[in-house]
Amino acid sequence: MEAAVQSAFEEQLRIGEEKEKENSEEPELTVTHDNQEFCNPESYMTKSVVETRLLNVADSFQRQYTVLFPDRKPLLLCPLNECGVKKFVSTTLQPSASSHCELQTWQGCAYFVANFLSLELLEPPVDLPKHLFSPTSVLRTRRATCFEFATLLCSLLLGINYDAYCVSGYAAKEMCLLDQSQFPCPLLDSDVKEEDSQQQPEDLLRGLRVHCWVLVLAGSGSIRENFFIDPLTGSSYPTDSSSFLGIESVWNDLNYHVNMQDCRNGCVGLKFDLDDTNLWEPVLHGATSRKQLILDVLNKKENRMISTEKEEQPRVFEMPRSWVTFISIHEKDLETLWPDGKKVTFYKKAKLEKFAPYLNPDGVITRLTTYKDQDCAEVAMVKEWYKHRNDSLEEREVNKLKDSTSERFKYGRRFQLLFHRITSLSTGFEQQMEFSSYARPDYLARRVWSTNEMEEFYEGRRDFLCYRQVIFQPPDQFDDSVCWKSPLRRMRVLTVVERFHRNAAKPANEDVAERVFLVSEEQFELTYHLMDHRFIPSRRILTKPLFRKFSNDCVSTFQVDLCAKPLSTQALFKILGALQDDEAKLTAEIKDSLKEIEDIVACREQEQNQVKLRKRIKEAVPTCEDEEQRVEDENSLESWKVLISKNLDAEEANRLYHSLLEEFKDKMVAQANLLQERYEKDTRELHAKQNQYRRNHLTMTEKQLEEYQCFCSEKTTQIKATQIRLNRHKELAHERYKALEQKLQQNPVLRPHLKK
């Protein structure tokens, strides 16, 4: 076939001028009101001399292909564009690189194409389309067939130097119709995905349904294995996936290749060495391939003084440039993304809804609903993702099966709350809360509050406290249904257990690992850390002396180290006194914890009734000098001094005292968030620039290389500086808070009214 096509090619070159004159007399352009706006460029409405020659070659190739392979379907070579003009499919590809970070990877490009366009099904589903619109037209109308989906995606991938090809072939019914109702939602957990799938009725058109997708070959960027991308979903598949049932041809912007391999087993076993003419028959023999382009660039890099005689030698017919204008994607397109700002996809026992930012008044951008049954009649779980909310809510999950509601927040909100879950149990209820521990004075990381107990977990405390458990008296004489809203009504403590990390400054035999306050029994139990090469810790039980003086009979000690000197009665009495003082402090701390639980619940109810979205503005990022000056202004405390009046009563003084501390904490956390966001933004920009360099370094000029090096140097310096400032801010946040607290407590107006 190669010889036949080559002779046809020579024949067409010889009579090209005559054919061009004949074609120019044909009525090739039909411009209607609907497509007139897309036909402004002359290349859309006319054919150049080179394009005409290519169409003649393709026409001859198609005729001989039909004769040699009468059992195979015709090839998609020269469909009509939106202006009714025949264009070779390879010239419809327009490699276009975007400056947006979201479109610097194949995943980002595939996600954009799959969500930005609406599918127009092929009719009939077993025939190739007669039209193939340009990517620029498709981006404007946002409607496309699978071939136009693949053309746009392949153009974007070629623009960022992936070795990508459009593939014309056959696929499973569900893939061609974009029917995902029999597949698990990708956002579900793995244990939810693993369910037995029901047998589907056999597709009478299996193996005949035409589909177009994208092939990415290994060797470009970090790609190590060939793989397929379904442009309708943006998902990747191995080349032997059972969803793809055969390939007729593949093409990129350089050539068109016909598959000569057996596809009775689908795409299993197919080889994608496109330079092997026994496996893939090209339309243009001898045309430049991607591998040849890379070798040419490498040769020029290695020897810049090479003679230009080879370049002046006559070359074979090459693929003409694309007739499509450069593909431009605006930032607004990336934001709205889906047609009409929303998209609904049905999966197996699940429905996935996606929304553009600011489309919904509550800020929801994604909603996943799962169902108990295949008919999607009974809801099992609803999970929502949010953006731009004033309460910093990011996720909410309502689980009907577990009867629980979970919420997750961004850093910096009130109470430093990150996660909140309320679960109804057969024995009562349970609340779980997670906090940003470094931003809290008590370094609380997690709290679990249930019917009869409260657990608190700490991180990074100077007293090495890491865990506290409070056991309450069971609710016998009051309504437990409202206890989770009013935990202060549960102030009937029976036992308190505290655990501590190892303090290396103390001997293990003197370093308390756990202490238990047996409130109802008037006892304290101390367990010490394990000594080296010991398996049993030392213990001590102390009992409060009620109507008698303290003596050694009030203490029971188990000492592991028999050589250790026993503590004196006076030392034991001091330990008991310290424990009694700590018990009184614990009572106040437990009360504060229960009060905070009440406040958090009340705050969430109020915020839910007053949901607002942050304004859609791009705020300028302050410079380092501005931030330093702001910190100094905050530490100078001039802002709060004017608020303090000499006529404050006790209640007003305490309220002002706590509000100033809370405001200061919020500002410190906001500043930490600002530094963190800047660090992440600069890191993303640096990685995008480095990826772009890896793709284009072979063709970069010396000036471009110098600009790249300067950019990396400046960006790396900024990242390091931001990271240092962020770490320093975290280290000093607690000290600054303590300094403010001390100065407020020493204020002559506030001091008399503050609670001791």
Side-chain angles (χ1 to χ4, degrees), residues 301 304 689 692-693 695-712:
K301 287 282 185 179
R304 295 180 180 273
K689 198 72 172 181
Q692 186 178 6
Y693 168 76
R695 291 190 300 267
N696 303 328
H697 70 280
L698 296 178
T699 58
M700 291 177 65
T701 63
E702 293 183 0
K703 182 179 179 181
Q704 291 173 332
L705 182 60
E706 183 179 355
E707 292 176 352
Y708 165 76
Q709 292 173 344
C710 292
F711 174 86
C712 290

Side-chain angles (χ1 to χ4, degrees), residues 303-314:
N303 189 0
R304 295 180 180 273
M305 302 301 293
I306 192 171
S307 174
T308 59
E309 294 180 359
K310 292 185 178 180
E311 297 180 1
E312 297 175 355
Q313 293 178 357

Side-chain angles (χ1 to χ4, degrees), residues 717-748:
T717 303
Q718 293 176 6
I719 291 174
K720 289 182 178 179
T722 305
Q723 187 175 20
I724 292 173
R725 287 176 51 77
L726 179 60
N727 294 336
R728 180 172 175 268
H729 177 79
K730 290 180 179 180
E731 293 173 357
L732 298 179
H734 182 68
E735 297 180 6
R736 288 171 177 166
Y737 178 87
K738 287 297 184 183
L740 173 61
E741 186 179 36
Q742 184 177 2
K743 289 186 179 182
L744 288 174
Q745 292 173 350
Q746 294 175 353
N747 182 268

Side-chain angles (χ1 to χ4, degrees), residues 563-712:
C563 299
K565 183 179 179 180
L567 294 179
S568 63
T569 303
Q570 184 178 4
L572 293 173
F573 180 74
K574 288 183 178 180
I575 294 176
L576 179 61
L579 288 173
Q580 289 177 320
D581 293 340
D582 290 343
E583 185 179 36
K585 294 178 181 178
L586 269 178
T587 302
E589 292 180 9
I590 294 172
K591 186 176 181 180
D592 291 341
S593 295
L594 297 178
K595 179 62 167 61
E596 186 177 72
I597 295 175
E598 281 189 1
D599 293 342
I600 289 175
V601 173
C603 177
R604 288 302 300 136
E605 290 181 351
Q606 181 181 4
E607 289 173 341
Q608 283 297 107
N609 296 329
Q610 301 176 355
V611 176
K612 294 182 180 179
L613 301 183
R614 298 186 180 94
K615 294 181 180 180
R616 193 194 308 216
I617 57 175
K618 293 186 177 180
E619 299 181 355
V621 180
T623 62
C624 295
E625 292 77 8
D626 295 335
E627 291 178 4
E628 290 287 357
Q629 185 62 42
R630 187 177 64 173
V631 172
E632 292 178 2
D633 292 341
E634 291 172 354
N635 289 339
S636 66
L637 305 179
E638 294 296 334
S639 58
W640 60 264
K641 286 183 178 179
V642 297
L643 300 175
I644 299 177
S645 172
K646 294 184 179 180
N647 299 323
L648 292 177
D649 57 24
E651 182 179 355
E652 292 174 340
N654 278 277
R655 184 167 59 250
L656 179 60
Y657 170 75
H658 291 291
S659 65
L660 289 172
L661 289 177
E662 189 72 25
E663 181 183 358
F664 182 79
K665 283 195 298 183
D666 292 342
K667 288 182 178 180
M668 297 299 289
V669 173
Q671 185 179 355
N673 292 336
L674 177 65
L675 292 171
Q676 182 68 33
E677 291 174 1
R678 179 190 298 176
Y679 173 80
E680 295 174 354
K681 177 178 178 292
D682 290 343
T683 303
R684 286 196 303 269
E685 292 178 354
L686 178 61
H687 288 170
K689 198 72 172 181
Q690 290 172 338
N691 291 335
Q692 186 178 6
Y693 168 76
R694 283 192 288 268
R695 291 190 300 267
N696 303 328
H697 70 280
L698 296 178
T699 58
M700 291 177 65
T701 63
E702 293 183 0
K703 182 179 179 181
Q704 291 173 332
L705 182 60
E706 183 179 355
E707 292 176 352
Y708 165 76
Q709 292 173 344
C710 292
F711 174 86
C712 290

Side-chain angles (χ1 to χ4, degrees), residues 245-300:
L245 306 178
I247 294 178
E248 292 286 1
S249 58
V250 303
W251 64 90
N252 65 355
D253 58 327
L254 299 177
N255 212 335
Y256 188 104
H257 305 267
V258 180
N259 180 28
M260 308 305 295
Q261 303 171 75
D262 188 1
C263 289
R264 282 179 291 185
N265 295 325
C267 297
V268 177
L270 290 187
K271 298 180 179 179
F272 293 94
D273 183 4
L274 302 181
D275 292 332
D276 189 342
T277 55
N278 294 321
L279 304 178
W280 299 91
E281 184 70 29
V283 169
L284 300 179
H285 280 269
T288 302
S289 66
R290 179 181 175 84
K291 291 182 179 179
Q292 291 174 338
L293 287 175
I294 295 176
L295 291 176
D296 290 344
V297 172
L298 289 175
N299 290 334
K300 291 181 180 180

Side-chain angles (χ1 to χ4, degrees), residues 376-442:
C376 299
E378 190 173 358
V379 175
M381 182 267 292
V382 179
K383 188 171 184 179
E384 296 177 325
W385 288 262
Y386 301 87
K387 266 189 176 181
H388 310 301
R389 284 178 59 122
N390 61 338
D391 59 358
S392 301
L393 180 64
E394 286 189 317
E395 297 178 16
R396 176 188 288 128
E397 177 183 308
V398 179
N399 195 316
K400 302 290 186 179
L401 301 179
K402 298 180 180 179
D403 200 7
S404 67
T405 300
S406 305
E407 295 179 325
R408 193 171 297 278
F409 306 88
K410 291 178 63 176
Y411 287 91
R413 65 157 281 117
R414 191 178 177 187
F415 305 107
Q416 311 308 324
L417 183 66
L418 298 179
F419 177 80
H420 185 208
R421 173 182 292 162
I422 299 177
T423 305
S424 296
L425 306 174
S426 58
T427 58
F429 65 92
E430 180 182 87
Q431 280 196 73
Q432 295 185 38
M433 302 178 184
E434 295 179 7
F435 304 89
S436 176
S437 59
Y438 85 92
R440 290 179 59 103
D442 58 358

Side-chain angles (χ1 to χ4, degrees), residues 9 102 119 131 316 382 655 739:
F9 170 69
E102 296 91 333
L119 176 64
H131 293 82
V316 298
V382 179
R655 184 167 59 250

Side-chain angles (χ1 to χ4, degrees), residues 10-27:
E10 294 175 353
E11 178 184 0
Q12 296 303 335
L13 287 180
R14 181 170 48 82
I15 62 174
E17 293 293 337
E18 183 178 346
K19 277 285 185 181
E20 179 186 0
K21 188 176 296 184
E22 294 177 2
N23 292 333
S24 63
E25 297 174 357
E26 298 176 0

